[in-house]
Amino acid sequence: MDLSDGHISPRPQGLQDLPSPQRHQDPRSPQDPQRVILAKHGSGKGSPLKNDRHSQSGIDGRPKKGGSGGKGTWGGLLDTDDSHALDPNDPNYTSTEENEPSSAKKSSSPFVEYRKKVAVIVEEYFSTDDIISTANELRELGMPSYNYYFVKKLVSMAMDRHDKEKEMAAVLLSSLYADIIDPPQVYKGFSKLVESADDLIVDIPDTVDVLALFISRAVVDDILPPAFLTKEMTSLPKDSKGVDVIRRAGKNYLSAPLHAEIIERRWGGSRNKTVEDVKDQINNLLIECVVSGDKKEACRCIKDLNVPFFHHEIVKRAIIMTMEKWQSEDRLLDLLKTAAEEGLINSSQISKGFGRIIDTVDDLSLDIPNARRNLQSLISKAASEGWLCASSLKSLSSEPEKRALEDSAAKAFKVKAQSMIQEYFLSGDISEVCCCLESENGSSSSDLNAIFVKKLITLSMDRKNREKEMASVLLSSLCFPADDMVNGFVMLIESADDTALDIPVVVEDLALFLARAVVDEVLAPFHLDEIGSQCLGPDSIGNKVLQMAKSLLKARLSGERILRCWGGGGSSRNGWAIEDIKDKIGKLLEEFESGGDKREACRCIKELSMPFFHHEVVKKSLVTVMEKKNGRLWGLLGECFSTGLITMNQMMKGFGRVAESLDDLSLDVPDAGKQFTHYVEQAKDEGWLDLSFSFTRSGHPVENGFWP
C-alpha cells in the first residue's frame, strides 16, 4: 500500500465498542432452551429418542467450537495456549517453552486476552486497510512484550488468503517496525513462524514458499536482518519444514538477481510505481529539502516511499546534487546525517550510494570539474561525522592511467559514437561503421575503442532482439585488439548496477553478450577470468553476469544455442538456420575434394562468419577422410590450422564430435575406431590437439578429465 497520497481511512470501531464474545449464546449449548426442547421431543416423527445419536449423559462429548475438542481430541492445530502443564518427557517438549512469561500458562492470563484482541485487530485491518487505526489499536493494548504474537498471527492469517492480504501484511509490518513493534519482537515473531512451519503446512500446502517470501520481504524491507537465516538454520531440526523455508528464502529469492525489486512486486506491491517514478519522487523531495530546509518533512517523504532497498539512490542523488551546487551542501548532508542517525537509511545503503558514485566518478568528471576531489572531501566529512564507514568503500585514488584521456575528446567521441551506432541500427551497414571509426579514431586509441564497445552494447540492450543481434555481429566484424574488447566489457560490468536501474534484465542480456563474444571468438575463454578479477565484489551484479555467462558456455551445444539467442544466425545474414550452415559446409568440402583450391576453400569457410561452428568443418572433413581414405581434406585442415582460421579449441570439439559418433560410424566403416585413434595421434603430433585429449573405449571423449 502506498501512503504517499496522504489518504487515511476513517478510524474503525474501537475495541471497546465491539460486542463481547460472551454475549453470544451458542445454540448448541445444553443451556439453550431450544436445545433442551429438541432433546426432549426430537425433530422427527415417532419416538422422541429414536435415531437420537446424542449421548444421554449430562456431558457434551462433541468438539468445541473451532475444532479444539474435548477429552480424547487433538485440540486446535495452531493452538498456542500454553495453559497445559509442561512434561519434560514429552517428545515435543522444548526448553524454550519454560522461558515464556509464566503468566502465559494460565488460562486467565493477559496473554490470552491479548491473543483474542489481536485476532480482531488483524481481521479489522484486512477489512479496512487502515494502517493508522491498526497502529493505534495495537498501541492501546499496552502489551509490547507480546507483540511477537501479533507478527505471527498477522503473517499466518495472511498466508491463507489472497495476494492482496499478503501485501497488506508486509506493508503493515514495515510501517509498525520500530515505532510500535520493537525489532526483537519482529525477530521473535518470525522465529515462531519458522518453528511452526510443520503445523502450518497441514492447512496451508504452500507454506514453504509463502513463508519464505514473507521472510525475504522482511529482509528486503530491512525489518529482519539477513543473519536471521543462518541463525535459524542452526537451531532448527534438520528434517523440519522450517529448514526448507530458510533454504527457499536464501537460495530462490534473496540470491536472485534484482531480488529486491522482484520480491517487492511479487504480491502486486508498487505495481503502479516504476523505477522512474521513484527517481522523480526522490529528486523532488531533495529539491524541496534544499529550498525549504525542512528535514523532518523530507524524512517523512523518504519513509512514505517505502523502498528501503532503493535508499542508495537517495544518497547518490544527494551527493551528486551537492557536487553540482555547493550552496546546497549543508542541507543535503544534514538530511543524510539525520536519516542515518534515525535508522531511516541504513549503513549498507549509504555505503552503496557512495560506492556507485565512486564507480562513475570518471563520467561525472566530464560534467563536474574536480568531481574526484570534491567527492573525496565529502567522504572525509561524512566519515568524520560518523554516518559513513569510509573503510567499506573502494579506494578513490588519483586518476587511473587507462582513463587519462582528454575529457573533451572522450565526451566528443561518445556523442559521435552514439550517432554512428544509431545509424547502423537503421542501415545495418558494417563497412560504413568501420570507415567512420577509422576517421574518428585515427590513432586507434584503446580507450576510445573500449568506449565504443560499451556504448554499442548499452544502446542495444535497451532495444529489441534485432539490435542486439546486430551489435554482436558488428563486434565480431571490428578489428579491435582483444585488450580493447576486454576493457569495454569491464566498463560494462562495472556499471551494471547502475544499468540495472533502467534495464531490469541487464544480468541476462549482458551475460548473453559476454558468452556470444566468446562463441564468436571476439574474446578468449581466459578473458572471462581476467574480467572477473576486476569485478566489484562477489555480491555485485557484475559477478552474477560472469557466473551466468560461464554457465551458458558450459551447456551442451552452447555455441549453437548462444548463436541463436536473439534469433540471428551469427552473420550479417540474420535468420540462417543451423541446417543451412551444415549444408553450406558440406558443399564447400565436396567442391574442394573434387579438385578445388585450398585458398578458395579457406575463403569460403571465413565468409561463413561462424568461427564458433568450425568444429563442424573438422568433423565433416575427418569423417570423409575415414570413409574415403582421401588425404586432401586432411591437408585442408592443416592449412586452416596453420593460418589460424580454425583454433585448437574448435579442433578438439570437432574430434570430440567424431568420437561421440564412432559407434554409428563403425556400421559403415568397420575400422573407424582404429582409424580415429591413428588420426588423433597424428593431430597431436602436428599440434592440432592438446596432449590431454583422449576418449574412452565407448567412444566418448575426455578432455582434461571432463566433457566440455
Side-chain angles (χ1 to χ4, degrees), residues 39 86 183 186 233 354 402 453 466 474 538 584 680 682:
L86 295 178
V186 174
M233 183 67 80
F354 273 95
K402 68 176 182 179
V453 172
R466 172 183 175 272
L474 179 58
K584 289 178 181 292
V680 167
Q682 187 174 342

Side-chain angles (χ1 to χ4, degrees), residues 624-635:
T624 303
V625 169
M626 293 167 63
E627 287 178 339
K628 300 182 179 181
K629 295 180 174 58
N630 186 336
R632 279 182 59 82
L633 287 174
W634 185 263

Side-chain angles (χ1 to χ4, degrees), residues 483-640:
D483 288 343
D484 296 353
M485 291 288 187
V486 170
N487 290 335
F489 276 100
V490 168
M491 293 168 64
L492 279 163
I493 287 180
E494 285 179 342
S495 61
D497 291 275
D498 290 333
T499 308
L501 302 177
D502 300 315
I503 306 173
V505 293
V506 64
V507 174
E508 292 81 357
D509 281 355
L510 196 48
L512 280 170
F513 269 111
L514 199 54
R516 177 67 178 269
V518 174
V519 165
D520 287 341
E521 299 194 352
V522 172
L523 297 176
F526 72 86
H527 283 141
L528 296 183
D529 295 328
E530 182 180 342
I531 294 171
S533 66
Q534 303 182 51
C535 268
L536 303 179
D539 297 326
S540 66
I541 289 182
N543 190 58
K544 292 182 173 68
V545 169
L546 276 171
Q547 297 308 317
M548 181 174 289
K550 289 180 179 179
S551 297
L552 290 170
L553 290 167
K554 287 180 181 177
R556 185 85 174 142
L557 301 177
S558 59
E560 292 85 340
R561 292 174 180 173
I562 294 171
L563 170 74
R564 304 188 64 79
C565 61
W566 293 307
S571 72
S572 56
R573 302 180 183 180
N574 297 340
W576 277 6
I578 295 297
E579 292 304 320
D580 295 336
I581 302 300
K582 288 183 177 180
D583 185 56
K584 289 178 181 292
I585 291 173
K587 287 181 179 178
L588 74 87
L589 293 179
E590 287 177 6
E591 184 176 343
F592 170 75
E593 189 185 16
S594 62
D597 181 61
K598 283 185 181 178
R599 182 175 296 181
E600 177 65 17
C602 289
R603 186 189 64 79
C604 292
I605 293 173
K606 188 173 182 179
E607 285 185 350
L608 288 175
S609 297
M610 302 184 76
F612 75 93
F613 206 58
H614 286 170
H615 59 79
E616 184 70 16
V617 177
V618 177
K619 175 188 173 183
K620 285 186 177 294
S621 299
L622 186 55
V623 169
T624 303
V625 169
M626 293 167 63
E627 287 178 339
K628 300 182 179 181
K629 295 180 174 58
N630 186 336
R632 279 182 59 82
L633 287 174
W634 185 263
L636 176 62
L637 290 180
E639 179 71 16
C640 290

Side-chain angles (χ1 to χ4, degrees), residues 235-346:
S235 63
L236 291 167
K238 293 184 179 180
D239 58 345
S240 68
K241 291 297 179 183
V243 171
D244 296 337
V245 170
I246 297 298
R247 285 175 179 164
R248 180 74 60 88
K251 294 183 178 180
N252 290 31
Y253 294 116
L254 293 174
S255 297
L258 304 176
H259 65 271
E261 292 83 345
I262 295 172
I263 291 170
E264 194 211 19
R265 295 169 182 266
R266 182 61 181 265
W267 293 318
S270 304
R271 52 179 171 268
N272 297 321
K273 187 193 301 180
T274 65
V275 173
E276 289 304 319
D277 293 336
V278 176
K279 286 183 178 180
D280 290 340
Q281 292 178 29
I282 289 172
N283 201 52
N284 292 337
L285 74 87
L286 291 176
I287 293 174
E288 187 176 343
C289 180
V290 171
V291 174
S292 66
D294 190 345
K295 293 185 298 181
K296 187 175 181 180
E297 176 62 18
C299 288
R300 186 195 65 78
C301 292
I302 292 173
K303 188 173 183 179
D304 285 349
L305 284 176
N306 196 30
V307 285
F309 63 87
F310 202 57
H311 284 170
H312 57 80
E313 181 71 15
I314 299 174
V315 177
K316 177 189 173 186
R317 286 179 177 265
I319 297 301
I320 292 177
M321 195 176 292
T322 299
M323 294 166 65
E324 291 174 337
K325 300 177 181 178
W326 278 99
Q327 60 268 31
S328 64
E329 176 185 356
D330 292 339
R331 289 184 173 179
L332 289 177
L333 290 187
D334 201 23
L335 170 63
L336 293 180
K337 179 181 178 182
T338 302
E341 290 174 346
E342 295 180 356
L344 184 59
I345 301 179
N346 62 37

Side-chain angles (χ1 to χ4, degrees), residues 57-74:
S57 68
I59 301 174
D60 187 355
R62 293 171 302 159
K64 298 176 184 178
K65 186 176 181 180
S68 295
K71 182 177 180 182
T73 65
W74 290 355

Side-chain angles (χ1 to χ4, degrees), residues 96-114:
T96 56
E97 293 181 67
E98 294 186 351
N99 295 327
E100 297 291 333
S102 58
S103 58
K105 300 175 183 179
K106 300 178 181 180
S107 59
S108 59
S109 68
F111 180 59
V112 174
E113 294 302 318
Y114 178 89

Side-chain angles (χ1 to χ4, degrees), residues 399-410:
E399 194 78 21
E401 292 182 5
K402 68 176 182 179
R403 300 287 191 265
L405 268 177
E406 289 294 333
D407 292 346
S408 58

